[in-house]
Amino acid sequence: MAYNEFAYFYDELNGEADYDALYTYIKGQLDAHGVADGILADLGCGTGDLTLMLTQAGYDMIGVDQSEEMLAVLREKADELGVSDRLLLLRQDILDLDLFGTIRGAVSTFDTYNHIGPAPRFERAIARAAFFMEEGGVFLFDLNTPYKHRQVLADNEFVLEGPDAVCRWKNTCAPQGDRVDISIEIRYLDTGEVFREQFSEYTYEAAYVERVLEANGFRLAALCDGETFGPLRPDSQRYIFTAIKQYTQLEKQHNG
């Protein structure tokens, strides 16, 4: 899912996101597991606020997104901050991730992995991230919970208003509750132009995600509420997983 036209005012309409709290949690987890520097990948980086915060913290960042529009916004921000030399941008689908070398960690936030499904595609995306991870590498990613899909998104419609555009967001929840089909209509206020995009989100139980991680050489180190960064609740709308890579893929191949 590429968010084509949505890229240009994504930051306006995502203004309630608490990037400071997200960064603080992620940096704390990276430090706690011994990844205070080195190469990190932001998978599905979007317009890159978190990417840039980690760049400014001293990491060499790889920003991966399949939307050239999102990457263009991120590139402009990096130039303005003077950190472009610590940031490599790759236009890729994370299902076909190719980082050309190993990384010490990866992050993926704001539901990127919800958009990948169904399950075989989700499993492939986790496997691709695992392939490039060093032993001891840290993988932090979030997912919208089944509760959010079934009780919050459901069949509801939302209107998001920005200074330059209005976005009408309509959800349709599948009968089994594991997928929400989303249609976005974007109307620019100055020109009256209208753009429409459609995509789907898939949701997974936490126990299933843990099994997928373990099958790809990760140990689940922490599972928290992805908005409060405290303990999960029955009505938590977002998970955030911290997983530690137990071996390199070369070691696995060598040991059979």
Side-chain angles (χ1 to χ4, degrees), residues 80-99:
E80 290 174 3
L81 291 172
V83 296
S84 297
D85 59 331
R86 301 187 67 96
L87 175 62
L88 171 65
L89 300 182
L90 298 177
R91 184 183 182 187
Q92 292 184 5
D93 186 332
I94 58 177
L95 281 164
D96 300 307
L97 188 67
D98 189 352
L99 298 180

Side-chain angles (χ1 to χ4, degrees), residues 30-239:
L30 291 168
D31 288 346
H33 295 286
V35 181
D37 55 20
I39 301 173
L40 297 184
D42 190 345
L43 306 178
C45 60
T47 60
D49 282 14
L50 178 62
T51 318
L52 294 172
M53 295 172 89
L54 291 166
T55 305
Q56 291 175 301
Y59 295 100
D60 294 309
M61 294 298 299
I62 304 173
V64 181
D65 205 284
Q66 62 179 329
S67 168
E68 181 58 41
E69 291 84 359
M70 290 284 193
L71 293 175
V73 175
L74 172 51
R75 191 176 296 112
E76 290 177 5
K77 291 180 182 178
D79 289 343
E80 290 174 3
L81 291 172
V83 296
S84 297
D85 59 331
R86 301 187 67 96
L87 175 62
L88 171 65
L89 300 182
L90 298 177
R91 184 183 182 187
Q92 292 184 5
D93 186 332
I94 58 177
L95 281 164
D96 300 307
L97 188 67
D98 189 352
L99 298 180
F100 314 110
T102 58
I103 56 175
R104 297 203 66 199
V107 299
S108 186
T109 55
F110 296 105
D111 327 319
T112 294
Y113 277 74
N114 286 108
H115 295 284
I116 294 170
R121 290 168 56 87
F122 174 79
E123 293 167 14
R124 177 178 169 183
I126 295 292
R128 291 307 296 168
F131 184 81
F132 297 98
M133 197 79 62
E134 296 177 5
E135 181 178 356
V138 181
F139 186 20
L140 289 123
F141 64 98
D142 67 16
L143 288 169
N144 281 333
T145 63
Y147 172 85
K148 182 174 183 178
H149 272 226
R150 297 163 189 169
Q151 303 298 325
V152 180
L153 296 179
D155 293 312
N156 293 318
E157 185 172 327
F158 306 95
V159 176
L160 309 174
E161 297 184 0
D164 304 317
V166 174
C167 176
R168 188 174 298 277
W169 185 296
K170 184 176 181 180
N171 305 305
T172 304
C173 190
Q176 62 272 35
D178 63 348
R179 189 189 80 247
V180 171
D181 298 321
I182 299 168
S183 62
I184 293 176
E185 180 184 278
I186 301 159
R187 183 179 300 274
Y188 286 96
L189 301 179
D190 55 347
T191 65
E193 289 182 281
V194 176
F195 296 90
R196 295 178 177 87
E197 299 192 30
Q198 294 182 325
F199 54 91
S200 296
E201 278 197 10
Y202 297 79
T203 190
Y204 311 101
E205 300 291 343
Y208 162 76
V209 177
E210 183 173 7
R211 290 195 300 272
V212 174
L213 288 168
E214 290 176 349
N216 287 282
F218 288 104
R219 172 182 61 83
L220 182 62
L223 173 56
C224 298
D225 184 294
E227 294 177 336
T228 67
F229 306 105
L232 281 177
R233 309 180 312 274
D235 62 348
S236 288
Q237 295 188 34
R238 180 174 287 141
Y239 301 125

